Amino acid sequence: RAAKHEDSDIRGKGLDYALIARDFAMLKWLGANCFRTSHYPYAEEIMDQADQQGFVVIDESPGVGITKVFNYGPVSLAHHKDVMTEMVQRDKNRPSVMIWSVANE
C-alpha cells in the first residue's frame, strides 16, 4: 500500500496528466496494488486511472485536524457528514474503491 499526494515538487498541486501517468507507472514498478488518497478525495481523473489499471483505493475524506478540541461540535460534524456523503455518492460504483477512510489515517 502506498500513500499518494496530488502534488509535485516541480509543478505544485493541480491536475497534471503527465504526473498522473508517471505516478501510476512508478506504483506498478514498485509492485504496489493499492494506495490511500492522502487527506482528501482525489480528482476523478486519478480515480479513473485506478479503475482502468486495477488498483485498489482507500478513499479518504478531508478530516485532518478533526480530533482537535476546537473542531468538535455540531457545525464541524455536519460539514464532515456532508463531505463523506459527497465522497461516497461520487465513488460508490467505482471498482477500485475498497474502503472509505472517515478521517485522516
Side-chain angles (χ1 to χ4, degrees), residues 48-69:
D48 290 343
Q49 284 300 306
D51 291 342
Q52 292 169 13
Q53 296 192 36
F55 279 83
V56 175
V57 176
I58 300 168
D59 213 358
E60 187 167 282
S61 70
V64 175
I66 199 167
T67 59
K68 305 241 187 287
V69 173

Side-chain angles (χ1 to χ4, degrees), residues 6 15 24 26 34 39 56 59 62-64 70 75 88 102:
E6 278 188 307
L15 186 61
F24 275 93
M26 187 178 302
C34 177
H39 313 311
V56 175
D59 213 358
V64 175
F70 57 84
V75 173
V88 171
V102 175

Side-chain angles (χ1 to χ4, degrees), residues 2-6 35-42 58 60-61 64 104-105:
K4 274 177 60 22
H5 284 271
E6 278 188 307
F35 64 87
R36 174 176 62 91
T37 63
S38 302
H39 313 311
Y40 47 85
Y42 279 6
I58 300 168
E60 187 167 282
S61 70
V64 175
N104 183 33
E105 300 162 345

